[in-house]
Amino acid sequence: MAQEDVFKKLTAHCKEYGFIFPSSEIYDGLGAVYDYGQYGVELKNNIRKYWWDSMVLLNENIVGLDSAIFMHPIIWKASGHVDAFNDPLIDNKDSKKRYRADMLIEDQMAKYEAKIEKEVEKGRARFGSQFNEEQFRTTNPRVLAVAEKLENLHHRFVKAMNDMDLPAIRQIILDEEIVCPISGSRNWTDVRQFNLMFSTDMGSTAESASKIYLRPETAQGIFVNYLNVQKSGRMKIPFGIAQVGKAFRNEIVARQFLFRMREFEQMEMQYFVTPGTELEWFDHWKTVRMKWFRALGFPEENYRFHDHEKLAHYANAATDIEYKFPFGFKEVEGIHSRTDFDLASHQKFSGKKIQYFDPDTNQTFIPYVVETSIGLDRMFLHVLSSAYDEEKITNANGEEDERVVLRLPAALAPVKLAVFPLVRKDGLSEKARAIIDELKYDFNCQYEEKDSIGRRYRRQDAIGTPYCITVDHQTMSDDTVTIRYRDTMKQDRVSIPHLRDIIKEKVDLSMLLKKL
Ligand code: GAP
């Protein structure tokens, strides 16, 4: 499905059911900024907790931190962000729209890839069970022609980006005859560098104010607290510091819903290691982080690593964990081996020694760092778009029907169970409320009495509630209720005292954590 169609569908669903609202909507919104509604905030909190517990609860050598957003401006000089946190951007003179030049080229490469896949599918349809995919990919002339173009383009692109050769980036766009999606024209400006940091002034008077930046990553808050945590926690290397917090980037390419926001949240963990061991730890964290994703139960083949060819200024190895969104494979998390770049640079700029004395080897060194960095909002979009399903069903009257269901992992669902009285009389409402009063300390519960049971199920399906409990007349005589499962829509009759255990078994976060 095209990216715009997916976003349109998800945006509409998220708004209708209280997950995500455009920021400042009554003033026509603010580009690439979003608010989380009543269910969105619950889902987001659950994802955050899943990440936090997987780091801080399960690893005795990883501790948490919550550093301030405002930091000393020299930090961003030391980190390289003032000089190098740039995107190459280009404007189309006819539509007056601005694009990231590297993304226009990446889209072009994705088009070549899609062309190859189309040829492969055609071959598969033509040869049926005789089809040998590998042979087809390596011998079919049309596939080979496109693959050659793709490889050439890829080679030029990597070189131009590594050299940050802006005229060469522009030349690729011209040579590939890339057009503006809005105007359809090839009337491009030069490529320019654009710094992504937001800045503001701190201080009470214009004269005394100093320019400070809104942090573009949470990582620097961890680096500048490395000594504080290491000393006060008497941490021995290897150890990690985890943090979740807001980050801000003045992104050029908006219109990507939660995928690329200007204000977003990161969940980052910096793991401090002995120099020379960093690539082992890099592999370790790749494995651990992939497991974290896979424990959610979405199809395994939808995840892949994408190793970086163009390394950031601070890294000696880097990979992305990509998820196959309905609009293609995209980065959700970055894992980077950052060497001692950051600590060494802060040592230089601050003039303070940032070192570690290893009592086992009697050596003093600046630790190396392996970081795992995932966007909470982007993870939210991954979970939501993977869970979203439109399903054809047969309703209670035997008619064809359709339902929208969010097949969220139960531990992440915003509401764990909804309790319905079949009718609003004969004490059924009171009984339903009594069940909630019992269970509300353990689970996020919801009471619903409006509309038919079928419509109530639909509403809960649309927000991903794994269990619906119905209180009927039989309940009043034998203390049993029906429990209806979101994914299968099957129902069982169970006794009320068993409800807590039945539900807990599936919705407890520990069920996810135990898979790690
Ligand atoms: N400290 C390393 C760092 O910040 P990054 O690859 O720039 O690395 C890490 O960002 C993660 O943060 C990305 O994988 C993505 O999930 C998330 N992220 C980055 N920019 C984002 C944006 N504009 N909107 C939403 N999420 C973003």
Side-chain angles (χ1 to χ4, degrees), residues 30-77:
L30 187 65
V33 186
Y34 291 92
D35 297 337
Y36 285 78
Q38 62 275 28
Y39 298 123
V41 69
E42 297 288 346
L43 174 56
K44 191 182 187 195
N45 285 345
N46 293 340
I47 297 173
R48 188 192 287 114
K49 187 161 169 51
Y50 174 42
W51 182 87
W52 184 265
D53 286 358
S54 76
M55 290 290 176
V56 176
L57 210 65
L58 300 192
N59 296 284
E60 59 185 65
N61 66 343
I62 298 183
V63 293
L65 179 79
D66 184 11
S67 69
I69 288 172
F70 290 155
M71 292 197 274
H72 198 287
I74 296 179
I75 286 173
W76 304 111
K77 192 80 191 148

Side-chain angles (χ1 to χ4, degrees), residues 217 219 249 251 258-261 264 266 268 314 331-334 336 338 371 373-375 378:
E217 62 171 13
R249 297 182 187 180
E251 299 284 2
L258 304 184
F259 191 78
R260 200 173 300 283
M261 300 158 80
F264 58 100
Q266 285 188 317
E268 296 201 294
Y314 48 73
E331 171 189 346
V332 184
E333 169 158 349
H336 313 120
R338 290 177 80 126
E371 82 172 351
S373 174
I374 171 172
R378 201 174 282 185

Side-chain angles (χ1 to χ4, degrees), residues 74-112:
I74 296 179
I75 286 173
W76 304 111
K77 192 80 191 148
S79 69
H81 284 83
V82 170
D83 298 318
F85 194 52
N86 300 316
D87 275 344
L89 68 84
I90 191 165
D91 291 81
N92 182 267
K93 292 182 195 163
D94 298 320
S95 66
K96 310 266 181 279
K97 290 282 171 205
R98 181 163 292 175
Y99 299 92
R100 267 182 57 182
D102 56 327
M103 291 207 147
L104 288 177
I105 299 170
E106 276 179 11
D107 286 350
Q108 180 75 355
M109 291 197 289
K111 275 186 196 152
Y112 285 139

Side-chain angles (χ1 to χ4, degrees), residues 53-226:
D53 286 358
S54 76
M55 290 290 176
V56 176
L57 210 65
L58 300 192
N59 296 284
E60 59 185 65
N61 66 343
I62 298 183
V63 293
L65 179 79
D66 184 11
S67 69
I69 288 172
F70 290 155
M71 292 197 274
H72 198 287
I74 296 179
I75 286 173
W76 304 111
K77 192 80 191 148
S79 69
H81 284 83
V82 170
D83 298 318
F85 194 52
N86 300 316
D87 275 344
L89 68 84
I90 191 165
D91 291 81
N92 182 267
K93 292 182 195 163
D94 298 320
S95 66
K96 310 266 181 279
K97 290 282 171 205
R98 181 163 292 175
Y99 299 92
R100 267 182 57 182
D102 56 327
M103 291 207 147
L104 288 177
I105 299 170
E106 276 179 11
D107 286 350
Q108 180 75 355
M109 291 197 289
K111 275 186 196 152
Y112 285 139
E113 275 168 8
K115 247 188 202 166
I116 292 173
E117 294 315 309
K118 209 169 161 192
E119 288 297 338
V120 171
E121 285 320 305
K122 272 204 263 173
R124 196 188 309 282
R126 200 161 102 226
F127 296 111
S129 60
Q130 306 295 315
F131 184 60
N132 179 333
E133 184 173 332
E134 198 184 327
Q135 191 186 12
F136 189 84
R137 281 183 189 273
T138 47
T139 56
N140 180 275
R142 278 189 302 275
V143 170
L144 289 179
V146 183
E148 193 186 343
K149 272 191 190 170
L150 176 60
E151 199 177 320
N152 286 340
L153 171 57
H154 185 243
H155 182 76
R156 278 182 78 190
F157 176 55
V158 170
K159 178 155 177 21
M161 288 298 287
N162 273 333
D163 300 345
M164 255 309 147
D165 182 344
L166 303 183
I169 294 173
R170 179 170 190 270
Q171 197 55 48
I172 295 175
I173 291 173
L174 298 183
D175 292 348
E176 288 291 323
E177 303 186 345
I178 295 173
V179 298
C180 164
I182 310 279
S183 68
S185 89
R186 286 185 246 144
N187 196 4
W188 297 108
T189 61
D190 287 341
V191 178
R192 295 184 312 288
Q193 293 281 32
F194 176 78
N195 193 287
L196 298 185
M197 281 196 295
F198 285 101
S199 63
T200 186
D201 297 320
M202 185 179 247
S204 52
T205 61
E207 299 78 54
S208 68
S210 62
K211 180 174 172 179
I212 56 165
Y213 296 100
L214 299 191
R215 65 183 179 197
E217 62 171 13
T218 51
Q220 297 304 323
I222 290 180
F223 293 128
V224 298
N225 277 292
Y226 159 78

